């Protein structure tokens, strides 16, 4: 039996990386998807790949900071699939990097809005739409700002740590409606957003980042998608309010 048979799910940031991998994994497990990101063409390609494997997905492009997009994602799930069971609020990015003393206020605000405020908007409308059968809300956070301070990532760390606070409150608020709420904290993951894939990245940087992890490598996006699948499915039926590390041991590694 597929783990998400007949479930309806929203996945944000599904045009690339972890969200794209999650869309394919969730669809293979039987979920019907509403996927989003800003790039319509990239989303269409993901839909085509899912449909080619016999799955169902609808793409709605837009900016996750826009409340009308968040409402439209929920309405699309309800309109097309009749219900909403799962939302993987995953869209985000590093934002402006550099020492806090040099961060611009605009850069700070943009990062907080993309990584934190957008997730608040998602949770607000998604939780209101979830029915009596309960549901699962998942938010992509990070180990940065939770188990490690990484220089140059002040806005990113603050936005992602804020998600963990939001998750704890939502988990307490929504438990009586059988909605579980969790944060997923990946380690370094080999996606277009990773600093190891920046245009100026070097082999030395890749070796350094790999070496930070106990497993001495970064994750593939599918490995993080599988952790999201666990949180989305009934396999995690007693898991709520957690900050779940899937980080290859980057948080505990000292060698
Ligand atoms: P990615 O490949 O760059 O994917 C980021 C996704 O977020 C894209 O689909 C992008 O879509 C979407 N997105 C970003 N800003 C958006 C906005 N304002 N509105 C709508 N969509 C937006 O990066 P990734 O590594 O998979 O990142 C996914 C999540 O994992 C992020 O929250 C990131 O912070 C987190 N994370 C990543 C790592 C890592 O090492 N890669 C580690 C820990 C946590 P469009 O470009 O089409 O808008």
């Amino acid at each position: 039996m597929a783990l998400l048979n007949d479930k309806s799910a929203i996945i944000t940031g599904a045009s690339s990386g972890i969200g794209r991998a999650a869309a394919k994994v969730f669809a293979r497990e039987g979920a019907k998807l509403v996927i989003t990101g800003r790039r319509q063409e990239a989303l269409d390609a993901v839909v085509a790949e899912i449909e080619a494997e016999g799955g169902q997905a609808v793409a709605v492009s837009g900016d996750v900071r826009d409340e009308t997009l968040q409402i439209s994602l929920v309405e699309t799930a309800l309109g097309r699939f009749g219900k909403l069971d799962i939302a993987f609020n995953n869209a985000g990015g590093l934002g402006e990097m550099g020492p806090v003393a040099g961060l611009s206020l605009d850069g700070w605000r943009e990062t907080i809005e993309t990584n934190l405020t957008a997730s608040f908007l998602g949770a607000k409308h998604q939780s209101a739409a979830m029915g009596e059968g309960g549901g699962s809300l998942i938010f992509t956070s990070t180990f940065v700002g939770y188990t490690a301070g990484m220089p140059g990532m002040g806005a990113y760390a603050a936005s992602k740590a804020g998600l963990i606070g939001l998750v704890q409150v939502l988990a307490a608020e929504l438990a009586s409606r059988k909605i579980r709420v969790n944060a997923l904290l990946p380690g370094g993951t080999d996606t277009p957003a990773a600093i190891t894939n920046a245009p100026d990245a070097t082999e030395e940087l890749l070796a350094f980042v790999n070496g930070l992890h106990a497993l001495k490598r970064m994750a593939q996006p599918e490995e993080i998608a599988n952790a999201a699948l666990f949180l989305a499915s009934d396999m995690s039926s007693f898991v709520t309010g957690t900050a779940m590390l899937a980080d290859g041991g980057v948080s505990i590694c000292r060698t």
Side-chain angles (χ1 to χ4, degrees):
M1 175 77 145
L3 287 173
L4 303 181
N5 204 27
D6 204 33
K7 301 284 188 190
S8 161
I10 290 169
I11 303 179
T12 74
S15 54
S16 176
I18 293 167
R20 180 178 182 282
K24 298 188 74 175
V25 167
F26 283 25
R28 271 179 216 134
E29 290 295 335
K32 301 166 196 167
L33 303 178
V34 179
I35 64 170
T36 195
R38 288 163 297 189
R39 288 170 294 147
Q40 183 70 48
E41 273 183 27
L43 293 172
D44 289 342
V46 177
V47 170
E49 287 176 36
I50 288 171
E51 288 178 345
E53 293 186 10
Q56 283 187 63
V58 183
V60 180
S61 61
D63 193 311
V64 287
R65 293 170 291 182
D66 178 357
E67 189 167 11
T68 59
L69 172 76
Q70 296 286 357
I71 294 168
S72 143
L73 295 173
V74 168
E75 285 178 347
T76 303
L78 296 179
R80 293 291 284 266
F81 307 130
K83 59 179 184 155
L84 177 66
D85 304 298
I86 298 160
F88 183 24
N89 292 286
N90 163 78
L94 288 169
E96 188 175 321
M97 305 269 283
V100 170
L103 277 187
S104 72
L105 181 56
D106 283 349
W108 169 270
R109 283 186 173 140
E110 187 180 348
T111 309
I112 298 288
E113 281 176 18
T114 303
N115 292 346
L116 181 56
T117 310
S119 287
F120 149 69
L121 291 172
K124 174 175 173 171
H125 296 289
Q126 293 153 7
S127 61
M130 284 177 167
E132 291 310 304
S136 174
L137 296 174
I138 307 155
F139 299 82
T140 307
S141 178
T142 173
F143 70 97
V144 179
Y146 184 68
T147 60
M150 306 282 272
M153 296 191 174
Y156 180 69
S159 66
K160 294 292 193 179
L163 278 179
I164 296 171
L166 178 65
V167 157
Q168 292 182 359
V169 171
L170 283 168
E173 286 183 356
L174 298 173
S176 62
R177 292 176 50 212
K178 299 194 184 72
I179 300 172
R180 298 182 298 102
V181 189
N182 292 288
L184 174 58
L185 281 58
T189 307
D190 186 14
T191 69
I195 50 169
T196 47
N197 286 324
D200 58 350
T202 59
E203 285 298 316
E204 288 73 25
L205 177 68
L206 178 60
F208 171 73
V209 173
N210 282 339
L212 293 173
H213 298 74
L215 294 178
K216 300 304 171 198
R217 67 176 178 84
M218 294 171 73
Q220 289 304 306
E222 291 73 20
E223 295 180 282
I224 307 305
N226 285 335
L229 171 63
F230 168 73
L231 292 173
S233 75
D234 290 343
M235 294 289 284
S236 59
S237 55
F238 204 57
V239 181
T240 196
T242 60
M244 191 181 93
L245 290 162
D247 74 346
V250 72
S251 295
I252 51 84
C253 188
R254 296 291 181 274
T255 61

